[in-house]
Amino acid sequence: MIEEPRITELGATPTAFIHLSIPRTEMPAVMGPAIQEVISTVTGQGVAITGAVFAHHLRMEPGRFDFEVGVPVAAAIAPAGRVRAGSRPATKVAQTVYHGPYAGLPEAWGRFHAWVEQSGHRWAEDIWECYLVGPEAEPDPANWRTELNRPLLD
């Protein structure tokens, strides 16, 4: 289900994103259109996308997602509509890759968090999911890959 977790350093990365604060139940209807809006804005400005689509969850609340959905980019974009320029800061993270459908992400995060705790690390409030392989590229959900990143405080 998840690959062997590891501790790594991530470099700072410019991003383009949309901030959303929505009930969890709205995620399936909202996520896809927001991703398309970000990609359309970035490519419409002639800026290269340099990696996988991500969701940066700012706070974890029962029943609600407060997050940014976006892409890493080669250069800063000009704000347009809901799309904003941002960055992922350089940070130390615990990281793993989950193999499987999105419905299995809560269990994957649970196993990953257990590993981080057992390893003696303290984590920040936010998390990053990077969708390495998803339904747009692979019809079989068993082959989907989601990178899980938990910024560390130590």
Side-chain angles (χ1 to χ4, degrees), residues 2-8 92-96 108-124 126-127 148-154:
I2 64 171
E3 295 177 4
E4 182 67 30
R6 64 190 184 113
I7 306 300
T8 191
K92 179 179 172 183
V93 298
Q95 183 182 77
T96 189
W109 275 107
R111 289 179 185 213
F112 182 43
H113 283 150
W115 180 90
V116 175
E117 282 184 338
Q118 290 168 0
S119 298
H121 294 285
R122 294 180 313 116
W123 60 63
D126 63 326
I127 63 171
L148 311 180
N149 293 282
R150 190 78 206 220
L152 299 176
L153 297 173
D154 50 16

Side-chain angles (χ1 to χ4, degrees), residues 33-56:
I35 291 167
Q36 291 308 312
E37 186 177 344
V38 171
I39 290 171
S40 176
T41 299
V42 169
T43 58
Q45 292 185 21
V47 175
I49 295 171
T50 60
V53 169
F54 66 80
H56 177 207

Side-chain angles (χ1 to χ4, degrees), residues 43-93:
T43 58
Q45 292 185 21
V47 175
I49 295 171
T50 60
V53 169
F54 66 80
H56 177 207
H57 292 267
L58 306 168
R59 283 183 296 283
M60 305 303 287
E61 300 174 16
R64 186 155 202 83
F65 279 134
D66 182 14
F67 69 108
E68 299 166 349
V69 60
V71 294
V73 292
I77 61 145
R82 299 188 302 166
V83 182
R84 299 286 176 256
S87 71
R88 182 191 67 208
T91 190
K92 179 179 172 183
V93 298

